[in-house]
Amino acid sequence: MATKKILLLVLDGLGDREYEGKTPLESAVHPNFDELSATGVNGLMYTLAPGVVPGSDTAHLAMFGYDPYKSYSGRGAYEALGAGIELRKGDVAFRCNFATIDSSGRVVDRRAGRIEDTHPLEPLVQSIKLPGGAKLVFKSTAKHRAVLVLRGAGLSRMVSDVDSHGLGNIQKCMPLEKKGAKTANLVNMFVKKSHDVLKDAPLNAERRKRGLPEANVILLRGAGTLPAVESFQKRYGMKSACIAGGAMYKGVARALGMDIIDVKGATAGVDTNLEGKVKAAAAALDNNYDFVFLHIKGCDVMGHDGNFDGKTKFIDNVDRYIDHLMVRNDTVICVTGDHSTPCELKDHAADPVPLLIANCGRTDGVRMFGEKPCASGGLGTIRGTDLMPLLMGAANRARMFGT
Amino acid sequence: MATKKILLLVLDGLGDREYEGKTPLESAVHPNFDELSATGVNGLMYTLAPGVVPGSDTAHLAMFGYDPYKSYSGRGAYEALGAGIELRKGDVAFRCNFATIDSSGRVVDRRAGRIEDTHPLEPLVQSIKLPGGAKLVFKSTAKHRAVLVLRGAGLSRMVSDVDSHGLGNIQKCMPLEKKGAKTANLVNMFVKKSHDVLKDAPLNAERRKRGLPEANVILLRGAGTLPAVESFQKRYGMKSACIAGGAMYKGVARALGMDIIDVKGATAGVDTNLEGKVKAAAAALDNNYDFVFLHIKGCDVMGHDGNFDGKTKFIDNVDRYIDHLMVRNDTVICVTGDHSTPCELKDHAADPVPLLIANCGRTDGVRMFGEKPCASGGLGTIRGTDLMPLLMGAANRARMFGT
């Protein structure tokens, strides 16, 4: 029996609500997606469950077939892995922001004026010493963002966030369980020391002169540990690759043992190199990969901005490049979102996302890719953890039970 | 409230994929099935689960409402029961093939040239003595096929297959768990002794002369024990009967306590006596049976052969005889498959199967029985273990919870 390859194209935040009777996906012009819908089967997907708003990390775990209620161990781990840090068992990783505090220690800008580049500050933070044999790995990533990994004995991810997502006093890191006490203590020490090393940095002196918010403290959130999961290769017997702009998505893929294919100009924004990413996916399918996860972030960005027209246009754009993938008879193509990000909410919603699976030898009469047409599709309404089994079945890779 | 009777018509391997936009079921002409779809409710069914390729045995257990992940205990048991052997607790049953080995002991034909009748050889195999108080029951069934039951203390089904489905050296039976050691030992002894008693049989001397492969060894596979399940009668309160050609299907039915109604000319092939089987089902419904399971194998045979036109024609044929059943106002009629056997794969697939339930006082606008029309039916997409509850509801036999 000939197996097929699988392409999973995730348009982050794809799902939306209607404005004058149409969602952005339904307003967009996308002959390629429509052709995939018409030549495949369609449905809706609750990535986690009805009434649960998916995070991007948990949603992706579910779509890869890993029940996040069992395997999720905090966002920080995916950020660290996505930033290229080698995360070890026992490490606790955090998402970090360079932020601005005033002379009384209050947060006045939690993104330090969306500072463009913090790499000059990175060695200062890396020089911080922690007591009790604890070590740290610190990496500046894009703009005000960074990743911290604490390494040492007796650490735990069961600690509260320092970054409250608001202004005012810095939140003290608190243990959420007794075993988090040591980690919370180290975190509070780290935050204090980050201010000590950053406040007099030349870059901040210069920003002060230019009237820009100083990057004079590091705020942490999303403590996470390496998820203890079976690898994607072991579970599905497929050599897999991830093509994504955002660090977190690469991190989820790395946590499952996927190879990461970097593409020049992949930005996790609407300005991403769509053509480069799609061509890289096609090349990966040509070159020995059985499963390619192609992540495109722009819809989510536009949803968070409440930009209905921008989301619509971005979908138009993606559709234009998809023809590089549609010629493949050897590949099951799945297009979906990880969650909906309705423009009217400017945030993730619990609404289901549209889903199509094409080149699987079956159709269902749906002619257009959109929330409404998919609602009457042959896949019905599924959950995220059903997706991989369905794709394995479509690719003639499912196993028999019984005889 | 008047209860209804239930007819479950299983067209084995019914589901398929599209060739030029149509599946065999969609290409076939079946006014009777279409009338049932139009006067009933329709849907798709994953007999086991999305992404699991159903075996015929596990699929039938699921459709009868018995979760095979809990109750499946190996195919051999169903083959033995289907062959009319009384299987006891502790017995281990095997599917057997009469096969051909050459002078060096290598399998050169695993079906002994699809030998027509092995009954003359049966007493020779039955005469084999095993040590340690173990007894055997052996029965030749159709063509090269047979069934062996080992009876005695300390037996286990946790042993590997002797029949590797290929040619070359005979696989040694190995224990899959420690408790399988005794059984594996007996199996290996049986295989050796089967050659001893068969090699000089008159039938083989004659086949040798005629240049035909000798039936000079027995290969075993699919060790199974009596499933420990509640009877169908006890679970559903319905007197039930099975009409099938294939031994395995009768075996599953017997394991659940159904009566077996034998029909002359029921062959489990495309040449089966369709009229006889359908009329026997109608008669059973007339005569006191509340539930009749009518199994028709031909679609699966054609699917395994990759014969799209043959499958289509066979469906045409079945439809022609169904009118004997359609006149019954007292009976809920369900038509479905146990799994799909797409012609392009020549094997079972994980794809869902079409399903209709007619004469239940509800319709859903579907006018034709086919994979695509059923995809938009009112039953949605169900799993195999949902089927009996739905049929019980349709037949006014479901129980109330609460008041």
Side-chain angles (χ1 to χ4, degrees):
Chain A
M1 190 194 306
T3 58
K4 290 184 178 180
K5 299 185 172 213
I6 299 171
L7 174 81
L8 173 60
L9 168 55
V10 176
L11 299 172
D12 202 293
L14 174 64
D16 212 303
R17 295 181 180 174
E18 295 173 18
Y19 178 71
E20 295 181 350
K22 283 189 177 180
T23 67
L25 178 58
E26 291 166 358
S27 303
V29 178
H30 41 63
N32 287 326
F33 287 142
D34 293 344
E35 188 181 328
L36 290 172
S37 274
T39 58
V41 284
N42 303 267
L44 293 178
M45 176 168 69
Y46 290 106
T47 330
L48 299 184
V52 180
V53 179
S56 284
D57 43 12
T58 49
H60 278 82
L61 281 174
M63 286 191 291
F64 293 137
Y66 296 80
D67 181 350
Y69 289 100
K70 290 179 190 153
S71 60
Y72 185 61
S73 55
R75 167 109 174 210
Y78 306 116
E79 294 286 344
L81 288 166
I85 295 173
E86 184 217 345
L87 200 60
R88 300 179 194 168
K89 209 181 151 187
D91 290 355
V92 178
F94 298 83
R95 304 171 73 185
C96 301
N97 274 8
F98 281 86
T100 312
I101 52 174
D102 65 15
S103 56
S104 67
R106 291 168 60 85
V107 179
V108 292
D109 188 326
R110 55 180 290 278
R111 296 189 189 94
R114 290 187 183 271
I115 180 170
E116 202 50 48
D117 182 10
T118 64
H119 285 91
L121 303 173
E122 196 180 42
L124 299 173
V125 182
Q126 287 167 339
S127 73
I128 291 174
K129 301 284 176 234
L130 294 173
K135 294 199 169 138
L136 64 83
V137 182
F138 181 82
K139 192 161 178 176
S140 286
T141 55
K143 306 194 84 171
H144 55 280
R145 299 184 195 94
V147 175
L148 172 73
V149 173
L150 295 180
R151 183 166 292 161
L155 299 179
S156 164
R157 71 178 184 93
M158 301 315 288
V159 297
S160 68
D161 288 346
V162 170
D163 181 359
S164 66
H165 285 253
L167 303 181
N169 289 330
I170 293 179
Q171 302 286 314
K172 203 177 158 192
C173 181
M174 303 291 288
L176 300 175
E177 290 176 11
K178 209 171 169 185
K179 64 182 175 185
K182 178 177 175 182
T183 309
N185 196 28
L186 288 172
V187 166
N188 290 323
M189 224 174 272
F190 172 83
V191 173
K192 191 183 166 304
K193 290 192 178 194
S194 74
H195 182 58
D196 295 343
V197 300
L198 290 170
K199 64 181 186 218
D200 299 322
L203 179 67
N204 277 327
E206 190 200 314
R207 288 179 73 80
R208 209 157 36 230
K209 265 191 224 152
R210 294 168 59 202
L212 295 171
E214 299 168 41
N216 61 8
V217 75
I218 309 255
L219 303 182
L220 296 81
R221 67 187 196 278
T225 52
L226 200 61
V229 292
E230 189 181 38
S231 76
F232 194 86
Q233 165 88 47
K234 187 165 178 207
R235 182 169 292 189
Y236 301 110
M238 294 191 288
K239 186 169 156 65
S240 58
C242 159
I243 297 166
M248 199 276 290
Y249 307 95
K250 298 185 202 179
V252 173
R254 263 191 82 191
L256 304 180
M258 292 185 194
D259 292 341
I260 309 299
I261 296 175
D262 284 314
V263 172
K264 210 175 161 181
T267 61
V270 289
D271 60 346
T272 195
N273 177 4
L274 285 172
E275 185 171 13
K277 286 171 88 171
V278 170
K279 283 187 170 171
L285 290 165
D286 285 337
N287 289 318
N288 220 6
Y289 284 101
D290 305 306
F291 180 93
V292 173
F293 158 50
L294 173 57
H295 181 268
I296 294 179
K297 177 82 172 165
C299 288
D300 185 54
V301 176
M302 293 292 94
H304 280 288
D305 286 353
N307 186 341
F308 190 102
D309 291 341
K311 192 167 175 177
T312 302
K313 263 183 214 149
F314 186 74
I315 296 167
D316 288 351
N317 275 340
V318 176
D319 187 76
R320 218 159 282 151
Y321 293 106
I322 293 304
D323 50 2
H324 292 292
L325 294 164
M326 293 179 58
V327 291
R328 308 189 65 88
N329 286 326
D330 67 342
T331 305
V332 169
I333 298 181
C334 174
V335 184
T336 188
D338 56 343
H339 53 74
S340 67
T341 308
C343 294
E344 71 169 40
L345 292 189
K346 300 186 180 182
D347 207 345
H348 300 193
D351 302 346
V353 291
L355 163 72
L356 70 82
I357 300 177
N359 198 13
C360 59
R362 301 191 293 130
T363 66
D364 58 7
V366 171
R367 318 301 296 173
M368 202 188 105
F369 190 45
E371 287 83 348
K372 278 191 289 298
C374 284
S376 59
L379 290 171
T381 300
I382 69 163
R383 299 207 180 191
T385 48
D386 294 328
L387 184 62
M388 279 305 301
L390 286 168
L391 294 177
M392 292 294 282
N396 305 328
R397 292 175 178 270
R399 294 197 189 109
M400 189 182 289
F401 174 50
T403 55
Chain B
M1 189 194 307
T3 58
K4 290 185 179 179
K5 300 187 172 212
I6 299 171
L7 173 80
L8 172 60
L9 168 55
V10 176
L11 298 173
D12 203 292
L14 174 64
D16 212 304
R17 294 181 179 174
E18 295 173 17
Y19 178 72
E20 295 183 350
K22 283 189 176 178
T23 66
L25 179 58
E26 291 167 359
S27 303
V29 177
H30 40 62
N32 287 325
F33 287 142
D34 292 345
E35 188 181 329
L36 290 171
S37 274
T39 59
V41 285
N42 302 267
L44 293 177
M45 176 168 70
Y46 291 106
T47 330
L48 298 184
V52 180
V53 179
S56 285
D57 43 13
T58 49
H60 278 82
L61 281 174
M63 286 191 292
F64 293 137
Y66 296 79
D67 181 351
Y69 289 99
K70 291 177 190 154
S71 59
Y72 183 62
S73 55
R75 168 108 175 212
Y78 307 116
E79 293 286 343
L81 288 166
I85 296 173
E86 183 216 346
L87 200 60
R88 302 180 193 166
K89 208 181 151 187
D91 289 355
V92 178
F94 298 84
R95 305 171 74 185
C96 300
N97 274 8
F98 281 87
T100 311
I101 53 175
D102 64 15
S103 56
S104 66
R106 291 169 61 85
V107 179
V108 292
D109 188 327
R110 57 178 289 276
R111 296 186 190 94
R114 292 187 182 271
I115 181 169
E116 201 50 47
D117 183 12
T118 64
H119 285 90
L121 303 173
E122 197 180 42
L124 299 172
V125 183
Q126 287 167 339
S127 72
I128 291 173
K129 301 286 176 231
L130 293 172
K135 293 199 170 138
L136 64 83
V137 182
F138 182 83
K139 193 162 179 175
S140 286
T141 55
K143 305 194 85 174
H144 55 280
R145 298 184 196 94
V147 175
L148 172 74
V149 173
L150 295 180
R151 184 165 292 161
L155 298 179
S156 163
R157 72 178 183 93
M158 300 314 287
V159 295
S160 68
D161 289 346
V162 171
D163 181 0
S164 66
H165 286 252
L167 302 182
N169 290 331
I170 293 179
Q171 302 284 315
K172 205 178 157 191
C173 181
M174 303 292 286
L176 300 174
E177 291 176 9
K178 208 171 169 185
K179 65 181 175 186
K182 178 179 174 178
T183 310
N185 197 28
L186 289 172
V187 166
N188 290 322
M189 225 174 272
F190 172 82
V191 173
K192 191 183 167 304
K193 291 191 177 196
S194 74
H195 181 58
D196 295 342
V197 299
L198 290 170
K199 64 180 185 220
D200 299 322
L203 180 65
N204 278 327
E206 189 201 314
R207 287 177 73 81
R208 211 157 32 229
K209 265 190 227 154
R210 293 170 58 203
L212 296 171
E214 297 168 43
N216 60 8
V217 76
I218 309 251
L219 302 181
L220 296 81
R221 67 187 197 276
T225 52
L226 200 63
V229 293
E230 189 181 40
S231 76
F232 194 87
Q233 166 86 48
K234 187 168 178 205
R235 182 169 292 189
Y236 301 110
M238 293 191 289
K239 186 168 157 62
S240 58
C242 158
I243 297 165
M248 198 276 291
Y249 307 94
K250 298 184 201 178
V252 173
R254 264 193 82 191
L256 305 180
M258 292 186 193
D259 292 341
I260 309 299
I261 296 175
D262 283 313
V263 173
K264 209 175 160 181
T267 62
V270 289
D271 60 347
T272 195
N273 177 4
L274 285 171
E275 185 171 14
K277 286 171 87 172
V278 169
K279 282 187 170 170
L285 291 164
D286 286 337
N287 290 319
N288 218 6
Y289 284 101
D290 305 306
F291 180 93
V292 173
F293 158 49
L294 173 56
H295 180 268
I296 295 179
K297 177 81 171 166
C299 288
D300 185 54
V301 176
M302 292 292 95
H304 279 286
D305 286 352
N307 188 340
F308 191 101
D309 290 341
K311 192 167 176 178
T312 302
K313 266 183 212 147
F314 187 75
I315 297 167
D316 288 351
N317 275 339
V318 176
D319 187 76
R320 217 159 282 150
Y321 294 105
I322 293 304
D323 49 3
H324 293 291
L325 294 163
M326 293 179 62
V327 291
R328 310 189 64 88
N329 286 325
D330 67 342
T331 304
V332 169
I333 298 181
C334 174
V335 184
T336 188
D338 56 343
H339 53 75
S340 67
T341 308
C343 294
E344 70 168 40
L345 292 189
K346 299 184 178 181
D347 207 345
H348 300 191
D351 302 346
V353 291
L355 164 72
L356 70 82
I357 300 177
N359 198 14
C360 59
R362 301 191 295 129
T363 65
D364 58 7
V366 172
R367 318 300 295 172
M368 201 188 106
F369 189 45
E371 288 83 348
K372 277 192 288 296
C374 282
S376 59
L379 289 171
T381 301
I382 69 163
R383 299 207 181 190
T385 49
D386 296 328
L387 184 61
M388 278 305 301
L390 286 167
L391 294 178
M392 292 294 282
N396 307 326
R397 291 175 179 269
R399 296 198 189 108
M400 187 182 290
F401 172 52
T403 54

